[in-house]
Amino acid sequence: MPEPVDRATIEALRADFRARLSSSATDRDLQTLNDDFLGRRSGTVTGLLKSLGTVPANARRDIGQLVNTLKREIESAIHDRRAALASSRPPADAVDVTLPAREIPIGRVHPLMRVRQQVEDIFARMGYEVLEGPEVEDDYHNFEALNMPPDHPARDMQDTLYLNAPIAGGTWGAHMDPVPEAQVRAATLLRTHTSAMQIRYMKTFPPPIRIIVPGRVYRRDSLDLSHTPMFQQCEGLVVGPGITLADLKGTFEAMLRELFGDVRVRLRPSFFPYTEPSAEIDISCQSCGGDGCGTCKRTGWIEILGSGMVHPAVLEAVGYDPEQVTGFAFGIGMERVAMLKYGVDDIRLFYENDLRFLEQFPV
Ligand code: DAH
């Protein structure tokens, strides 16, 4: 025989229900609550209603009413709580502002471009004009006008990539150093240095001039730690009355300290056909502070660029008067600068586009 239903049982059930309701936070909790109390088979309140027959006849009506009241109370409490949950639920298309943001991959500036931008920036602040030139060149601009006639041994310094078929007039430079139709020069090679642009510029504009020419150059080189068949240079040219070697040195003391920080700068005699005198410009080795180490091959110095005073033959080739104007020129390799600045020991890394390498540079 089940225990007869009395008031105390009903009150205990009510208290139990209130406690469980207050800890019900989801639809599923409410469903469980509903089943436990009102379920057709085993709900506790349903059970009470079924056992009303055991209540003494004189109390049955009152007890029956109390159980029914509890039942309705439970039904409406669950109903209200369900409605409250539904109204606090965000709509299906709502944006949850508390979710962590999705990461959007951002590309970054390639280390060579960073260096190029820095170099351009430094020279632009010194009043230089920045321009580009054609990568497909002709022999005249790349060699001949730069004081390298056809049999000149210096041409071997730069093993050249020639085109299979010449391109009449070149691919680019029609507006710079334009020549009469009859003399249109066929572009036959990939420029081996940005120096070719010196000639185009000087043939187009009178002195004084102050330009830099960043861009790609090409040589017949095999890939290794320090060679790629394509690389980046930045040419520079300053021509005007009274330009001296002191201007060249002063320019690079300022420029290289800005680029590399606190370094010493020295000029070392060298040879280029288009400059006289010619100089390599070195900076003191940053790895050892000039004492000598593996990076600088124990010399304490690191070669950064080639330079010199523009050869009178070059000035004459473009129609300038070497008695009236002088100038200095330079060519700086971007990869070399980037390798030193960022401690990169293999030039090929710049061209492999390996994200593990590229992602090491800031955005
Ligand atoms: N053209 C040279 C090179 O390819 C660099 C260079 C040296 C450029 C001396 C110049 C210069 O304008 O005066 O290595």
Side-chain angles (χ1 to χ4, degrees), residues 20 30-39 42-46:
R20 287 196 45 194
L30 291 173
Q31 188 57 46
T32 309
L33 198 56
N34 187 78
D35 293 347
D36 288 352
F37 285 83
L38 305 178
S42 55
T44 41
V45 175
T46 315

Side-chain angles (χ1 to χ4, degrees), residues 158 193 195 198 219 233 235-236 272 274-275 306-308 329-331:
Q158 302 170 2
H193 52 182
S195 309
Q198 287 189 22
R219 289 183 199 174
Q233 272 191 342
E235 189 74 12
F272 300 101
Y274 29 92
T275 45
S307 67
F330 54 89

Side-chain angles (χ1 to χ4, degrees), residues 96-118:
D96 182 352
V97 294
T98 65
L99 281 177
R102 207 171 299 155
E103 203 180 324
I104 300 169
I106 298 179
R108 46 197 86 205
V109 179
H110 191 280
L112 289 177
M113 281 300 124
R114 297 177 79 81
V115 167
R116 174 169 166 171
Q117 281 167 3
Q118 283 166 359

Side-chain angles (χ1 to χ4, degrees), residues 271-287:
F271 172 80
F272 300 101
Y274 29 92
T275 45
E276 180 57 37
S278 304
E280 300 281 357
I281 301 184
D282 301 340
I283 56 170
S284 51
C285 178
Q286 288 167 297
S287 300

